[in-house]
Amino acid sequence: MIYVLVDAATWSNNGCIAYISRDGFDVNLRHLHCSPKDGQWKLSEEYREVGVSRAHNGHKIIHLSWNHVGRDLRHVDICELAIVDVFGQISIFTVQAPITSRLNVSRRCTSDPEDHLGAVVGLSWLNIDQKPATIYRPAVKEAGQWIHKCSPHKLMGPHNPNQKPALVAVTRGGMIRLMFQEKNLRWQDVTTELDSISSSSGLLSHAAMTADKDSTMLIVTHSINKQLRLYRVSIDFQHQLFSIKHLKSVSDCSPLDRVNDGSLMNIEMFCQLSHLAFIPHGPETRNREPTPAFILGVFSYVPEDPQKNSMHPDPLTILARWELHSASPMLHSSFEQLTSKRPNASSLAQDLLPEVSLKRLGDVSIDLLLLSVQEAYLGTVLAMTYSDGTIEFRDRTSLGVLPKDDTTKQVSGMSQVGFYFPDIGACLHNALSPNLCAVVSISEMQEVRLSLMQLPISTNHGAVDDAIIEAATEAFTLHFAIASTSNQGNQIDDLLSVIQLFSKHLSSAKEEGGQFEGAIEANLFSEIYRVLDVAIDYTMGAGENIETLFRNPLAQRCLGMQLSLGYLGEGQQRSISAKVAWTMLNLHHTSLMFLYTFKYYKQESSEKKKIELIQPILGVINWSTALMSFITDELFALANAVKDNGNKADKALIDSHSKEPQLIRVALDAIIVTLRFLAVRISNTPAFSLVLISSCRAFLKWICRNLRYWYSETKIVVSSDVLRHALREIDSILVEAKVPNAQFERVLLEIDAIINGVYAPSKMNEAARKKTEREMLVSAAIPDVIVRAMSTFFTDFLGNLRMEIDEAELYFLDTSWLGLSDDKRSEDWRRENQLDVLKKLVLPKRTVMWRCVRCCAVMEPTPPPPGRACVCNGWWMVIPLVET
């Protein structure tokens, strides 16, 4: 009989993997990260947190639990980890950026008693708030397009009114503990008796809990005498009180005498309860009531000597279920004989509370040893892992393995379209990733392995079936949407690693078939932006509201994905799509830096404080002017190509002595082909795309406006020599810029006018405008209609601008450090230097740095405002000094 809760490995929603060390006294941390050498995702090195052993006075650690609930996209930088030892002492640690730094103690367990009856048999985190969650239905194909429908789902159960974490635990001695954090970050611990225990046979071996209606929770316990007891618990946080009501009891909790197939020959009598889970009721739908909640008991059988046990030499798992039903009580018909002055039976029955019943369902047997059960997608799917490395996804209603989709009509998830985990091998513990597409397993020899979901790619005469690519694209889109819109703020690094692996396998298969490589990324990005309806169109006056640009976490997450999947390592060229995303993310960060600094600089009266605000943006201002110069230089180069091609077209027309429309059309098409080919394919530069994408132009205009403000500040007389020097540095950067701020603003306004003319309602509706913006953002595709409208911009506007700018100085300006060029000079600079991605300053040689786990950008380990995350929203990892 197992008496305590055991979960030795767990994967948090912010991407941190925690597992108990081999000796059982400490906790080890790991995480996924992208390698700068080849761009491949892998597990980090092991980081041992020795502070856990000290916090628990050398007691063995038996259980780990991350707080998976109540996180959104704005609060993924902190996550709580509950660590439980053999005596039930519970310490709570937090992990913050950088992800590999030591755990920070949030709650110490020094006041918890060392009592064997205090051993924890069940633990669950509570919701931080009751903000509705989003549930996505399977994607359905209608009229040639995939439709992704979602709906809100109300979260139930008690929650901490302080908007802070809280957890509930049940002990072996029948006590219930509530630990919750107050606004001042102090932890409160409330303990009361769940039920009286009169003998040792009544001691608890397992407990499970789930949220329920009316801000209550349901708790089920299992005792040594094989009795299930069901309780409803409500919590008064203000007065720190429990309200506990016993609802139901079930005696002789064991597998049925005969399971469905009747082939076990009474081996079920040797099974022991190894897991107890409480699966909440399913989400509501328009067509039917939510599926009832149920208690899941996992009974396991492990033969002591398989060779001698001829009855059943293999491990066995039996899943037993008790379904919860609620019914209004019925009074005897004799109550109807009461006089009319008294209430009738129906009114009396309405005043009584509904009765709860437990309906025993048929058992399900599995010829494997189950290690863990994890509910997913608001309890609609159960993920089950086994000791031989098998991982299954089962339906909550039938407990059968999820069937495969007809991918021509429906896509329900990655496993339903054919993704699977390769042979993982025997393991003692494992932890599924937040998006259930990666797993870390720990073998008997304490070897830690990472496995990613894969999809078999078959070829027909060397060609890849398009249906496979389409199904995979929709499955990735569905999982990304679930992760991005849930209130749990799931990290997407596990999903990125699977997409990268699939793309790699697809590229290998396509090379054999001679097909174009890289189509999966462009289609995936476009589909994600479409399904999530990400706001990226800032034309026709929409760009005036700059706050909508700043407060657009979905766009930042999508751009982060676009950047990551285009990164192949430090020695490889980024794709044009990744360069656009990289620049957009940096523009977003730069705009936030200006916004933050401007706000507090105007409010600050102390010149010393003003100096502290200016120092972090000096590099950012320099980066902004360098980017303007880079874009302008690339536009001049493109204008030269247009002019050369136009001269050839004019010569063709003169030689023909004709002004026929057909020849004019040929000449115009030649210009269009040249523009698109040079801008996107040959130079691999994002410059032309950056000025065409409306959201990018909005950022650039905001930055130009801020540069004007800082230039005006440099003319104000100040008393402090240090502040005067800092302002002079800003003045020097702006004055020495090869492209003055005013001229670049004119470029943006001119392009604004051209694009707004193309996007006029009489010429293009809103849906077409969104599609055009999306294509330019995800694949740098420049539509013909925009290229034609831009022809006078290259010939006339840029021609006049050349008269105001020293084109030679602009040509020889070193912009290799921007990371947007692929020439040898840029490659040499990146090989010899490291640029702080937040401050835009070159870091000293041989210094400790933080590296982004997703895009491999680096920074000093002293994050400036506005946040700790990388520009791509990735977490940081510490780079050992020997690597630099």
Side-chain angles (χ1 to χ4, degrees), residues 5-10 18-20 62-65 371-372 429-431:
L5 191 67
V6 176
D7 199 348
T10 180
Y19 55 95
I20 299 173
I62 60 167
H63 181 73
L64 305 175
S65 176
L371 292 182
S372 68
H429 309 284
N430 50 36

Side-chain angles (χ1 to χ4, degrees), residues 513-814:
Q515 299 182 23
F516 176 71
E517 181 181 343
I520 176 68
E521 286 84 4
N523 292 337
L524 175 62
F525 301 151
S526 181
E527 192 70 350
I528 286 175
Y529 280 99
R530 181 188 67 84
V531 169
L532 291 177
D533 194 22
V534 181
I536 56 175
D537 179 16
Y538 288 86
T539 55
M540 313 302 292
E544 297 301 323
N545 186 6
I546 195 68
E547 287 190 9
T548 61
L549 266 175
F550 293 152
R551 299 178 181 178
N552 195 353
L554 277 180
Q556 304 311 310
R557 178 168 279 213
C558 292
L559 288 170
M561 182 186 203
Q562 188 172 325
L563 168 64
S564 175
L565 293 178
Y567 179 72
L568 303 176
E570 291 179 345
Q572 301 295 323
Q573 294 183 3
R574 278 190 176 128
S575 66
I576 184 69
S577 175
K579 287 182 178 180
V580 169
W582 170 251
T583 310
M584 288 280 291
L585 289 166
N586 277 277
L587 287 172
H588 176 259
H589 164 72
T590 300
S591 300
L592 286 178
M593 287 287 289
F594 282 140
L595 179 67
Y596 172 89
T597 307
F598 173 78
K599 175 182 177 180
Y600 290 100
Y601 188 87
K602 294 297 291 183
Q603 296 175 356
E604 190 58 62
S605 58
S606 169
E607 292 189 343
K608 181 179 179 181
K609 294 291 185 180
K610 287 188 173 184
I611 296 170
E612 295 175 357
L613 289 169
I614 288 178
Q615 289 299 328
I617 67 167
L618 292 175
V620 174
I621 293 175
N622 188 38
W623 179 87
S624 302
T625 59
L627 178 65
M628 295 175 185
S629 298
F630 170 81
I631 292 174
T632 306
D633 183 50
E634 291 294 333
L635 291 178
F636 281 157
L638 191 56
N640 292 336
V642 172
K643 181 179 179 181
D644 292 343
N645 201 66
N647 291 338
K648 294 177 181 179
D650 290 340
K651 186 176 185 301
L653 290 173
I654 294 173
D655 291 345
S656 65
H657 301 287
S658 173
K659 298 294 182 182
E660 295 181 10
Q662 183 178 1
L663 289 178
I664 296 176
R665 176 65 192 177
V666 170
L668 186 58
D669 285 343
I671 296 176
I672 291 173
V673 170
T674 300
L675 278 172
R676 299 181 68 184
F677 190 75
L678 288 176
V680 180
R681 300 302 176 193
I682 292 183
S683 61
N684 197 38
T685 174
F688 195 28
S689 298
L690 293 177
V691 293
L692 294 181
I693 299 170
S694 62
S695 52
C696 184
R697 281 200 317 279
F699 277 130
L700 289 169
K701 286 188 293 184
W702 168 262
I703 290 172
C704 287
R705 189 165 65 183
N706 277 270
L707 293 181
R708 272 190 280 120
Y709 162 76
W710 284 111
Y711 182 74
S712 65
E713 282 293 313
T714 62
K715 307 307 177 185
I716 298 177
V717 178
V718 295
S719 58
S720 170
D721 292 338
V722 181
L723 179 59
R724 190 184 306 113
H725 177 73
L727 291 173
R728 283 177 180 173
E729 286 190 66
I730 294 178
D731 181 71
S732 176
I733 294 172
L734 296 178
V735 170
E736 295 177 7
K738 305 307 178 186
V739 178
N741 186 56
Q743 274 80 347
F744 191 77
E745 276 192 287
R746 283 172 46 205
V747 172
L748 297 177
L749 293 175
E750 178 69 17
I751 296 176
D752 256 348
I754 295 172
I755 299 299
N756 286 339
V758 174
Y759 286 172
S762 59
K763 299 179 181 179
M764 187 179 294
N765 58 33
E766 183 179 359
R769 195 171 70 236
K770 285 184 176 180
K771 183 179 179 182
T772 300
E773 287 285 325
R774 188 165 62 241
E775 289 177 351
M776 290 193 294
L777 179 60
V778 303
S779 60
I782 304 173
D784 293 347
V785 62
I786 290 181
V787 173
R788 294 192 187 99
M790 292 289 291
S791 59
T792 56
F793 171 81
F794 286 102
T795 56
D796 300 338
F797 181 84
L798 288 185
N800 295 329
L801 187 64
R802 291 177 192 268
M803 307 296 292
E804 306 173 23
I805 295 175
D806 191 328
E807 196 171 352
E809 286 190 0
L810 186 63
Y811 178 80
F812 288 104
L813 178 66
D814 183 12

Side-chain angles (χ1 to χ4, degrees), residues 12 14-17 29-33 44 47 49 66 76-79 94-104 491 838 848-853 857-863 867-870 873-880:
S12 75
N14 62 16
C16 188
I17 305 162
L29 300 176
R30 285 195 175 189
H31 58 87
L32 286 176
H33 76 103
S44 70
Y47 302 89
E49 181 49 63
W66 288 108
V76 295
D77 58 336
I78 301 176
C79 197
T94 59
V95 60
Q96 296 176 255
I99 195 169
T100 54
S101 64
R102 65 185 297 272
L103 293 171
N104 302 301
Q491 268 282 7
L838 299 187
V848 176
M849 292 182 289
W850 290 356
R851 175 183 288 149
C852 176
V853 299
V858 296
M859 66 164 289
E860 280 187 302
T862 52
R868 290 186 174 92
C870 177
N873 290 326
W875 274 53
W876 301 104
M877 61 180 289
V878 175
I879 308 175

Side-chain angles (χ1 to χ4, degrees), residues 26 108 168 268 293 299 450 510 618 657 672 718 738 756 867:
D26 287 308
R108 300 184 183 275
V168 171
E268 62 272 5
F299 294 87
L450 171 69
K510 284 185 173 183
L618 292 175
H657 301 287
I672 291 173
V718 295
K738 305 307 178 186
N756 286 339

